[in-house]
């Protein structure tokens, strides 16, 4: 479905990605784990067109994504929930959700309305706060909103960047349970997560990144029991 | 005194219309057209030519005015698109780049000189299509044109507020202003939004030019002071608050006219004295957002 081959990304003189290879098959949850600065976020940004690729290839459903701007890549059915949520704080919850369906609201207003109802069912808290300014929500609520906003366009493919960052354990569980549920709804998910244990337990496969390269890859259950992973990322 | 206040509100509403142009481009791209006043001049002179030509051809003045407003809106929108493409986008790639200040001033100087070559150096009277009839309400005289300006200002402001706050395009503009990367992840094209912002801003200047023409008369240099005063209105009201800008514009217009009652030589100075006072005591403007830095 999505494949990344020999990807290089530079920030000025600094090499953020150095020859990354990765693929995600339809219906999978694939986790990306690694320390801060390993290049996980950069890889996601390269896939969704937020950073310029220096070298390499990214293909989605057989089409190259290289050189395409973020707003075009999104229209192909790839939704990105960015790190730090990046909701539109000065607009209401409902306005944020509508902006998530910006490309479809004119074509299918009914469908957008139905999708919004589905999101309100998924997170009733958002419905309660539908007219509240998004910037005044708690961190957990903002993450729900970021996730729902990304789902408003009914994407096939979801790219999630640290959805549990800064959340209380209760919210972390809620968000990760939602990610698992999304797979059951037919979504394909590429997940970057700091809590490596949780990421490995809900994903099918995982890539371990370090210094802009893929260090290890394999079945998540195997990696969960790999001594090096346990020592370096699971803190045991 | 009441007469001065009414006249002030009329002129102030034009400042407010022009100043909303600064607001729209500022929130979307963090840049502004420092030649907004000269875009107004282009709107005014082109409007004058279009209006007098049509009226000379025997077209009803009101129909001619309506057609002129539509044509000038189209032409200034194209001018705004060109400005974004030539003077803003190529220079706005670097963080903290302020080259756009010079580039927009450069474009405005070019426009001013081209206008001088076409329309000459002299002041050209802009006859109002409504004639010179003065209506009297409670001792206050108001021309039909001033009444038209007031109605237009209310309509333009209402449309602008509805567009910015209620329409999907307005929400998308606000989203780009808040976070361009996140907006592009929603499928919003930030470049298109920048073009839209500059086109809209230029249309406001162009319409402002047609409205102000019969009040101030027209000349190739008319934009400098008007643009600066509209900028003052935007700063006084708060550059990121359209309601503040409206109040800033009206306040500026009224203060100018009231000061002019005493001595009209102090009229322009009063505008800039006001901007100094606001900047000293409320640097974010009367209704701008206060931003406190965390250390």
């Amino acid at each position: 479905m999505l494949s990344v081959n020999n990807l290089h990304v530079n920030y000025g003189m600094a090499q953020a990605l150095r020859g990354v290879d990765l693929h995600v098959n339809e219906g999978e949850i694939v986790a990306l784990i690694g320390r801060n600065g390993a290049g996980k976020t950069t890889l996601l940004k390269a896939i969704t067109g937020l950073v310029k690729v220096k070298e390499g290839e990214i293909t989605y459903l057989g089409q190259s994504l290289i050189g395409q701007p973020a707003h075009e890549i999104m229209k192909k059915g790839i939704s990105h929930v960015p790190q730090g949520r990046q909701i539109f704080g000065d607009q209401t919850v409902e306005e944020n959700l509508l902006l998530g369906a910006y490309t479809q609201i004119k074509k299918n207003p009914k469908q957008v309305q139905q999708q919004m109802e589905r999101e309100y069912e998924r997170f009733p808290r958002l419905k309660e706060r539908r007219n509240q300014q998004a910037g005044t929500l708690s961190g957990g609520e903002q993450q729900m909103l970021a996730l729902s906003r990304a789902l408003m366009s009914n994407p096939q493919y979801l790219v999630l960047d640290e959805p549990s960052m800064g959340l209380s354990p209760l919210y972390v569980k809620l968000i990760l349970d939602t990610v698992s549920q999304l797979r059951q709804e037919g979504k394909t998910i590429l997940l970057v997560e700091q809590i490596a244990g949780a990421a490995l337990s809900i994903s099918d496969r995982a890539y371990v990144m370090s210094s802009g390269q893929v260090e290890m890859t394999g079945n998540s259950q195997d990696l969960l029991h790999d001594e090096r992973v346990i020592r370096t990322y699971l803190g045991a | 005194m009441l007469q001065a206040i009414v006249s002030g509100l009329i002129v102030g509403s034009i400042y407010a219309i022009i100043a909303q142009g600064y607001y729209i481009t500022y929130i979307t791209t963090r840049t502004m057209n420092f030649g907004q006043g000269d875009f107004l001049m282009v709107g005014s002179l082109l409007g004058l030519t279009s209006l007098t030509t049509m009226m000379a051809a025997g077209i009803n003045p009101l129909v001619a005015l309506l057609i002129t407003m539509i044509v000038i809106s189209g032409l200034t929108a194209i001018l705004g698109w060109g400005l974004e493409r030539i003077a803003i986008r190529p220079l706005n790639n670097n963080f903290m780049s302020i080259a756009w200040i010079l580039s927009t001033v450069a474009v405005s100087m070019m426009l001013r000189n081209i206008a001088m070559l076409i329309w000459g150096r002299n002041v050209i009277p802009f006859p109002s299509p409504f004639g010179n009839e003065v209506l009297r309400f409670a001792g206050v005289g108001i021309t039909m044109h001033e009444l038209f300006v007031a109605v237009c200002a209310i309509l333009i402001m209402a449309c602008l507020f509805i567009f910015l706050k209620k329409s999907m395009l307005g929400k998308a503009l606000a989203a780009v202003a808040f976070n361009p990367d996140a907006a592009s992840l929603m499928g919003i094209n930030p470049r298109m939004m920048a073009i839209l912002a500059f086109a809209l801003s230029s249309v406001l200047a162009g319409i402002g030019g047609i409205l102000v023409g019969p009040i101030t008369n027209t000349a190739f240099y008319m934009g400098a002071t008007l643009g600066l005063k509209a900028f003052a209105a935007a700063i006084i009201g708060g550059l990121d608050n359209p309601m503040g800008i409206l109040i800033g514009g009206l306040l500026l217009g009224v203060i100018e006219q009231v000061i002019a009652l005493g001595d009209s030589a102090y009229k322009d100075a009063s505008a800039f004295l006001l901007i100094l006072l606001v900047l000293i005591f409320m640097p974010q403007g009367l209704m701008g957002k206060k931003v406190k830095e965390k250390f």
Side-chain angles (χ1 to χ4, degrees):
Chain A
M1 192 172 197
L2 177 98
S3 75
V4 173
N5 297 309
N6 189 31
L7 197 70
H8 290 259
V9 172
N10 285 11
Y11 291 127
M13 296 294 281
Q15 290 183 306
L17 294 182
R18 300 183 295 163
V20 172
D21 292 305
L22 166 145
H23 71 275
V24 185
N25 301 318
E26 194 173 343
E28 273 188 319
I29 297 182
V30 171
L32 272 179
I33 56 174
R35 292 210 176 92
N36 283 338
K40 307 180 299 291
T41 295
T42 303
L43 175 56
L44 299 194
K45 284 185 168 179
I47 292 171
T48 54
L50 288 178
V51 295
K52 258 192 184 160
V53 169
K54 182 170 178 262
E55 196 189 322
E57 184 58 88
I58 304 171
T59 54
Y60 177 67
L61 298 173
Q63 282 183 317
S64 172
L65 298 184
I66 300 292
Q68 299 210 32
H71 63 271
E72 289 297 337
I73 291 175
M74 178 270 172
K75 289 177 193 161
K76 297 181 190 300
I78 303 178
S79 233
H80 183 164
V81 181
Q83 194 178 45
R85 301 173 288 255
Q86 303 195 18
I87 50 153
F88 304 116
D90 57 354
Q91 305 206 43
T92 65
V93 168
E94 192 143 310
E95 285 170 338
N96 268 270
L97 292 177
L98 286 173
L99 283 165
Y102 179 76
T103 53
Q104 299 174 6
I105 199 151
K106 265 194 189 147
K107 285 180 264 173
N108 293 314
K110 247 187 193 165
Q111 209 173 310
V112 169
Q113 205 53 46
Q114 283 168 355
Q115 186 64 35
M116 186 156 0
E117 289 308 321
R118 272 201 287 279
E119 294 311 320
Y120 283 150
E121 267 171 43
R122 191 191 312 277
F123 297 122
R125 183 63 67 86
L126 293 183
K127 190 172 188 175
E128 286 169 27
R129 304 203 186 282
R130 63 203 296 172
N131 295 319
Q132 193 171 320
Q133 267 208 337
T136 63
L137 298 177
S138 73
E141 290 164 347
Q142 289 192 9
Q143 188 60 59
M144 290 178 201
L145 178 59
L147 199 54
S148 279
R149 185 183 64 176
L151 290 166
M152 280 300 291
S153 59
N154 200 13
Q156 264 294 298
Y157 193 97
L158 262 179
V159 172
L160 306 177
D161 198 350
E162 304 214 15
S164 71
M165 193 169 73
L167 301 187
S168 65
L170 209 65
Y171 275 124
V172 171
K173 186 176 180 319
L174 174 71
I175 294 294
L176 293 178
D177 284 351
T178 308
V179 173
S180 299
Q181 189 198 325
L182 285 170
R183 186 245 298 272
Q184 284 164 16
E185 291 176 21
K187 310 283 183 208
T188 303
I189 295 161
L190 180 57
L191 170 72
V192 163
E193 188 47 71
Q194 278 283 331
I195 309 173
L200 290 174
S201 61
I202 64 166
S203 59
D204 304 297
R205 290 186 302 114
Y207 290 81
V208 180
M209 286 186 71
S210 173
S211 309
Q213 288 175 312
V214 172
E215 203 179 47
M216 290 168 77
T217 176
N219 185 304
S220 295
Q221 285 307 311
D222 294 344
L223 288 174
L224 206 47
H225 298 105
D226 184 281
E227 201 151 302
R228 232 171 82 204
V229 173
I230 293 173
R231 210 175 41 236
T232 320
Y233 301 106
L234 301 177
Chain B
M1 184 69 164
L2 196 59
Q3 177 72 58
I5 291 173
V6 171
S7 301
L9 287 174
I10 301 287
V11 179
S13 65
I14 299 176
Y15 293 155
I17 292 172
I18 309 165
Q20 298 293 354
Y22 291 119
Y23 161 75
I24 293 168
T25 57
Y26 178 71
I27 61 151
T28 323
T29 61
R30 297 283 159 208
T31 61
M32 277 174 281
N33 177 11
F34 274 97
Q36 183 80 340
D38 290 287
F39 277 53
L40 167 137
M41 173 272 294
V42 170
S44 196
L45 285 168
L46 279 176
L48 173 66
T49 305
S50 147
L51 203 59
T52 45
T53 311
M54 277 193 275
M55 279 164 69
I59 297 174
N60 178 302
L62 294 182
V63 176
L65 181 62
L66 190 69
I67 296 174
T68 296
M69 286 180 102
I70 294 168
V71 170
I72 298 303
S73 297
L75 289 176
T76 44
I78 294 170
L79 214 53
W81 166 75
L83 181 79
E84 197 278 338
R85 199 66 197 83
I86 294 165
I88 302 288
R89 196 186 301 178
L91 302 171
N92 202 20
N93 294 326
N94 308 324
F95 180 64
M96 293 288 278
S97 163
I98 51 164
W100 55 268
I101 296 178
L102 286 177
S103 63
T104 55
V105 169
V107 169
S108 79
M109 286 165 89
M110 281 186 239
L111 286 178
R112 206 176 297 174
N113 284 292
I114 292 168
M116 188 182 74
L117 289 175
I118 298 174
W119 284 281
R121 291 167 176 272
N122 298 329
V123 173
I124 312 170
F126 192 137
S128 168
F130 298 97
N132 294 321
E133 195 190 336
V134 179
L135 306 171
R136 295 227 158 255
F137 301 102
V140 176
I142 182 166
T143 65
M144 276 297 280
H145 183 79
E146 286 175 327
L147 209 57
F148 173 69
V149 170
V151 171
C152 274
I154 292 168
L155 275 178
I156 291 172
M157 289 294 164
C159 289
L160 196 65
F161 280 101
I162 291 170
F163 168 73
L164 289 173
K165 299 289 171 199
K166 299 288 174 201
S167 78
M168 216 43 221
L169 214 50
K171 291 187 211 304
L173 266 179
V176 171
F178 196 83
N179 187 333
D181 272 358
S184 63
L185 291 177
M186 306 294 111
I188 299 164
N189 182 349
R191 284 184 173 177
M192 278 306 292
M193 291 296 133
I195 291 172
L196 176 71
F198 272 91
L200 206 56
S201 161
S202 304
V203 169
L204 289 171
I207 296 283
I210 299 172
L211 294 180
V212 85
I215 297 174
T216 60
N217 286 325
T218 51
F220 75 94
Y221 52 79
M222 69 187 285
T225 317
L226 284 165
L228 215 52
K229 283 189 187 163
F231 186 63
I235 298 293
I236 290 166
L239 203 45
D240 51 8
N241 186 327
M243 190 53 90
I245 289 174
L246 173 60
I247 292 168
L250 296 177
L251 192 67
L252 187 61
V254 169
I255 287 178
E256 259 187 11
Q257 295 297 324
V258 170
I259 298 269
L261 278 182
D263 187 340
S264 62
Y266 293 116
K267 189 176 140 190
D268 289 345
S270 66
F272 300 110
L273 185 66
L274 183 64
I275 196 177
L276 274 181
L277 288 176
V278 168
L279 283 178
I280 291 168
F281 296 107
M282 299 177 83
Q284 75 284 359
L286 295 176
M287 291 176 74
K289 275 184 205 155
K290 259 189 194 169
V291 179
K292 278 191 181 160
E293 296 272 346
K294 254 187 190 174
F295 290 104

